[in-house]
Amino acid sequence: MTEQIPEIEEGLLIQAREGDRNAYGELVSRCYADVIRVTYRLCGDEQLAQDAVQEAFIRAWVKLPEFQSKAPFSHWVYRIAVNLALDALRRKPQQSLDETPDASLLSDKTADPETAYLQKEQADMVQEAVNALPEAARSVLVLREYGDLSYDEISSVLDIPVGTVMSRLNYARNRLREILRKDRFEMEREYA
Amino acid sequence: MPDPIQNKLGAYMDGELNRQERLEVERHIETCAACREEIQELTRVSNLLHDARLPEFTPANDFKTRLMLQLPRQQVVNRQNGREKFLWVGPVVALVAFIFLEVTTNLSSILAWAGQFGLMTLGGGNSSQMIWFSALKMLPGDLTAVPGLTWLNLVNNAGVLTQQVLVTLAWQTAAAILYWGLFVLAWKKTAGRQWAGMMEK
């Protein structure tokens, strides 16, 4: 179930490999949203994710002439961005999400303040649960749930066997369930 | 519920099972409430993950504009197509073959001259007979002289000739490889220094 590269992307890749920056810009536009979403979910830090994604696209540009795979360009960028984000995360001092106020989540003008706050609480709860997973399991989960990659594609991006993808995903989901069940219970108790 | 089925529920939800496995799981969950509940739980967790709000990232256009300013000059690597990549092979092979032949021709002359003075004689005994031929001759009745087996003499002569040619060729080849190897090492050293100088510019 590996996705084939669309024709239009193939054309852009050929031009970009020849040095066409506009073609590369178009490739970036097509996959930026997916890449930043996956990278953010992997590391839970907005600034770190933005920096990692920017660096990933720069590295992909430099190494583009060597990219000969038939897989979508975004999968290759996922691989670079995942590695960069995990490296940066290891170097970063650990701090909880509460210490990094994310004003952007509260800036939704369509929601009333209480709803926006509850949404932020839930988003933080989910992200903290994902952050609590070991790196190996987290990478697989994020690529599956947020990148929508098949098991074969995840296996290719992370360079691990498909069986390992399955076992890590099972572990991640079971672990998430335990953490979220506990968090939900505490949240319901707090707001009761 | 059986462990093998439980381990497949996630893959079933993701649509990653083959037909046989999928049917196996579907048959099982028809009668197993625990597995149905497990699938619902997995779906709920997945929905929670998807519903969690994301921060407002830099818009794609702004990101692209900023990125374009930071892209370095792309390193041009070898983008030649398959055929162009191997155009240099022909001339190099011809040159190598020429050097090899020249060396072996010159060396064969030296070896022939050395052979005249007995300097390159290898092995002892009767050089006009193969060992097996000599053994046959020594047997009672001299099998090599039996009518109907005289073709053995032809085989022996062919073997002796091949042996002499092969030994001479082996010497020539060894000497040529040694000569060529030293030549390549010397060239590599000089060429390597030149390339390093060019890349620094």
Side-chain angles (χ1 to χ4, degrees):
Chain A
M1 277 180 279
T2 307
E3 193 181 328
Q4 293 299 316
I5 182 171
E7 268 184 40
I8 185 168
E9 186 175 300
E10 205 170 340
L12 288 171
L13 269 171
I14 291 170
Q15 290 170 355
R17 268 192 219 116
E18 297 296 321
D20 186 341
R21 288 169 170 246
N22 289 332
Y24 187 71
E26 189 53 37
L27 279 171
V28 169
S29 295
R30 288 167 67 86
C31 67
Y32 165 73
D34 293 336
V35 175
I36 188 68
R37 182 177 63 242
V38 164
T39 311
Y40 171 74
R41 287 300 182 200
L42 183 71
C43 63
D45 183 324
E46 186 187 343
Q47 191 54 53
L48 197 150
Q50 293 271 192
D51 292 343
V53 166
Q54 182 169 275
E55 180 62 26
F57 278 118
I58 292 173
R59 289 196 188 190
W61 165 253
V62 171
K63 292 191 176 297
L64 197 59
E66 300 166 22
F67 175 63
Q68 301 289 341
S69 171
K70 290 295 176 194
F73 172 70
S74 58
H75 294 185
W76 187 45
V77 180
Y78 280 147
R79 182 197 277 231
I80 303 172
V82 161
N83 287 329
L84 284 171
L86 289 176
D87 284 344
L89 207 56
R90 285 179 207 125
R91 289 194 300 268
K92 180 184 161 221
Q94 289 302 308
Q95 58 189 128
S96 76
L97 280 172
D98 288 339
E99 294 170 21
T100 52
D102 198 340
S104 62
L105 277 178
L106 296 175
S107 66
D108 182 2
K109 295 180 174 54
T110 60
D112 60 271
E114 192 181 335
T115 309
Y117 184 78
L118 283 172
Q119 284 176 344
K120 181 183 181 313
E121 282 276 298
Q122 187 173 13
D124 284 350
M125 185 178 74
V126 167
Q127 191 58 50
E128 277 191 13
V130 172
N131 287 354
L133 296 172
E135 272 178 19
R138 197 184 333 142
S139 306
V140 172
L141 178 87
V142 157
L143 284 170
R144 173 62 215 154
E145 294 288 350
Y146 296 108
D148 207 25
L149 265 59
S150 69
Y151 288 14
D152 280 337
E153 289 166 343
I154 296 172
S155 160
S156 174
V157 168
L158 297 179
D159 206 17
I160 54 177
V162 173
T164 307
V165 172
M166 226 167 115
S167 60
R168 285 184 188 175
L169 205 44
N170 282 341
Y171 169 81
R173 282 168 169 160
N174 287 332
R175 187 79 189 101
L176 266 183
R177 227 175 20 179
E178 286 167 21
I179 299 170
L180 288 172
R181 197 178 292 148
K182 189 167 79 87
D183 287 346
R184 194 174 55 171
F185 176 71
E186 283 174 7
M187 209 165 119
E188 283 168 359
R189 208 172 52 169
E190 194 180 323
Y191 289 104
Chain B
M1 77 189 91
D3 272 346
I5 297 289
Q6 185 179 20
N7 291 338
K8 288 179 187 173
L9 291 179
Y12 171 74
M13 189 182 75
D14 293 334
E16 291 280 345
L17 295 180
N18 61 38
R19 189 170 175 273
Q20 189 186 335
E21 287 171 323
R22 184 170 47 81
L23 288 173
E24 185 190 351
V25 169
E26 282 172 355
R27 267 199 301 272
H28 175 80
I29 60 177
E30 275 173 13
T31 55
C32 179
C35 279
R36 285 198 299 273
E37 195 181 314
E38 176 81 4
I39 290 174
Q40 281 175 1
E41 270 290 297
L42 288 172
T43 308
R44 191 187 66 80
V45 168
S46 182
N47 289 339
L48 258 175
L49 291 175
H50 284 272
D51 291 343
R53 288 195 57 202
L54 289 163
E56 280 184 24
F57 301 117
T58 306
N61 281 337
D62 293 349
F63 176 83
K64 189 176 89 172
T65 305
R66 206 181 301 164
L67 180 73
M68 290 295 117
L69 293 171
Q70 300 196 19
L71 289 183
R73 249 180 94 137
Q74 194 177 42
Q75 297 295 324
V76 176
V77 297
N78 185 7
R79 294 203 203 96
Q80 293 169 332
N81 64 31
R83 276 189 306 171
E84 287 173 358
K85 246 193 287 192
F86 294 104
L87 279 180
W88 60 272
V89 173
V92 168
V93 167
L95 183 64
V96 165
F98 173 73
I99 293 171
F100 187 82
L101 284 171
E102 281 295 306
V103 168
T104 53
T105 307
N106 292 335
L107 277 175
S108 69
S109 308
I110 296 170
L111 288 170
W113 174 82
Q116 287 175 3
F117 298 97
L119 293 174
M120 294 303 292
T121 304
L122 297 166
N126 190 345
S127 62
S128 68
Q129 289 185 355
M130 303 289 287
I131 294 174
W132 58 267
F133 192 79
S134 304
L136 285 176
K137 273 190 118 34
M138 281 163 48
L139 288 174
D142 188 0
L143 282 177
T144 63
V146 171
L149 287 180
T150 51
W151 54 268
L152 286 172
N153 290 285
L154 278 173
V155 176
N156 172 63
N157 292 341
V160 166
L161 180 65
T162 306
Q163 201 174 50
Q164 287 171 348
V165 167
L166 280 179
V167 165
T168 309
L169 196 58
W171 273 109
Q172 292 176 9
T173 305
I177 288 174
L178 181 65
Y179 169 83
W180 182 63
L182 290 170
F183 176 77
V184 167
L185 276 172
W187 172 81
K188 213 175 146 190
K189 242 187 207 173
T190 319
R193 276 200 294 267
Q194 284 177 353
W195 274 111
M198 279 172 62
M199 292 304 284
E200 278 167 17
K201 287 182 188 165

